[in-house]
Amino acid sequence: MTMSRQNIFSNVKGDLSSGLVVFLIAVPLCLGIALASGAPLFSGMIAGIIGGLVIGCLSGAQLSVSGPAAGLTAVVLSAITKFGVFDVFLLAVVIGGVFQLGLGLLKAGSVANYFPSNVIKGMLTAIGIIIIMKQLPHAFGYDADSEGDFTFIQVDGHNSISALLSTINHIHLGATIVCVISVLIILYWNKIPKVGVIPAPLVAVITAVVLNGIFIAIGSKLAIAPSHLVSLPVPESFGDFIGQFTTPDFSAITNKEVWIVGATIAIVASVETLLNVEATDKLDPLKRHTPPNRELQAQGIGNIISGLIGGLPITSVIVRSSANINAGGRTKLATISHGLLLLVCAALIPTILNKIPLATLAAVLLVTGYKLCKISIFKEMFKNGKYQWVPFVVTVVAIVFTDLLIGITLGMAVSVIAILRGNMRSSYYFRKEKYQNGDSIKLELAQEVSFLNKASILLTLDHMPENTTVVIDASNTTYIDFDVLESIREFKDVKAAQKNINVVLTGFKNEYKIPNSENIPADYQANIASGHVHTISTGNHEQLLKELQLN
């Protein structure tokens, strides 16, 4: 695998600016996740550095940012407690990376094709809500919970809601002022002429540091204490900095518990990565597609290296990825530059970083969270019908009140049940009165056509009217299940001839092994001109229900 050259320097200014913003967010998150995991603080920074530099170079993702993941904190904490020694746990991280690399080589990343879009949108929305719930206490200066804790039940005994209520009794006026000013700068800085070249979040951070410095200098009660600032480990010498990197204990290679933890890390990290990469692709303004198997391979190599030098397990992380997109990142240069900044600043200027108030970083994340869960997203999902919004809402609620994997599992289950229920209830056929002899019908296949779509597509094809032209368009698909392809072949080669149906296939990729039609029939072209082409989409279940009716 080599670094993709696809326009990596086409957006240098925006990518470097975005990399800086993601770096500022990543520092407290890396430290917070390490703290919540019961691991050395610097192990979180190592994971962030490897996620940026190594995975950023090897991955096929243009916008995904990798680093230590909040979703693995419970696994890591349990494993470190069980082993009692951190370097034994590092061996499990290396083993997990090897497993993950193997999954990528075995093409296991194709499972990403089965993630429904409503569940992915639900995940993004839920993450936005969680960010807001978790960052509001930090915005008001209540930092009892670590920055990296995104679980509903917190390690301090509180939950996300009770922590919000407790914030009322712990409001720090100085932190609140810093956060409000930071939010205003982030929202309105770019509207000032000729200053947009400087990233708004950077201006907010510098303003916060200067403002708190003034508070401290004048002895004001508004001064923010060190416990409410970034707390990056400060080595006294270069030797001390190098000493923060540790190696695994390979003598534990025969311990079966280490292999079990390694396999657990590989599975959880792979699922989270595929989910986050799929979600990031949906946020990508350029609508690019990340190769999932290459991503698993890159993540596996990253985890091997991270474990070898003392880092936490790594996954693609949606919080940093969405912040990258919002800050103007468009190529992998953004994530690589953020990793380089983590390395350089951790080695050379940790003292300066430790002057940054958590309240100003909370402001950056609050804006990011809002963009992920705007009211317009809910309106859009409700407009798409119950088969879209029910799994969406279930996913949102489940993730907010449990965790990412449980929420996704429940959302997937509800989505599958909705599809199966629709298919079981529906023996579809076309409304004969709507179609005239010789009409043309265009069936547009969805972006992802899984085995769950087979029943409705098969019934739709079986009930096509006689003496018509049927166009099956796969131009927008990235994946079609083998069984669906077999049904299309059977319809074209056998069933269509029995009903005098002229079948036109278009947009099918070479790997589908279905040849596209070379000529467009004259009657189809005439029907386009006369408006007698009826288009339906397998990607819109509500539209199918309108176009087709129950027996």
Side-chain angles (χ1 to χ4, degrees), residues 229-252:
L229 306 176
V230 170
S231 56
L232 188 65
V234 181
E236 295 183 1
S237 65
F238 183 72
D240 288 341
F241 172 73
I242 297 298
Q244 295 180 96
F245 295 87
T246 56
T247 56
D249 180 4
F250 286 99
S251 66

Side-chain angles (χ1 to χ4, degrees), residues 178 181 206-224 355 357:
V178 163
I181 291 175
I206 294 174
T207 302
V209 171
V210 171
L211 190 58
N212 190 48
I214 294 172
F215 291 157
I216 294 172
I218 64 177
S220 171
K221 293 182 179 180
L222 298 176
I224 302 173
K355 296 181 181 295

Side-chain angles (χ1 to χ4, degrees), residues 527-548:
N527 283 332
I528 291 177
S530 62
H532 286 153
V533 176
H534 306 274
T535 302
I536 59 175
S537 171
T538 62
N540 189 330
H541 198 77
E542 291 297 314
Q543 185 188 7
L544 274 175
L545 289 175
K546 292 175 182 177
E547 293 286 342
L548 308 166

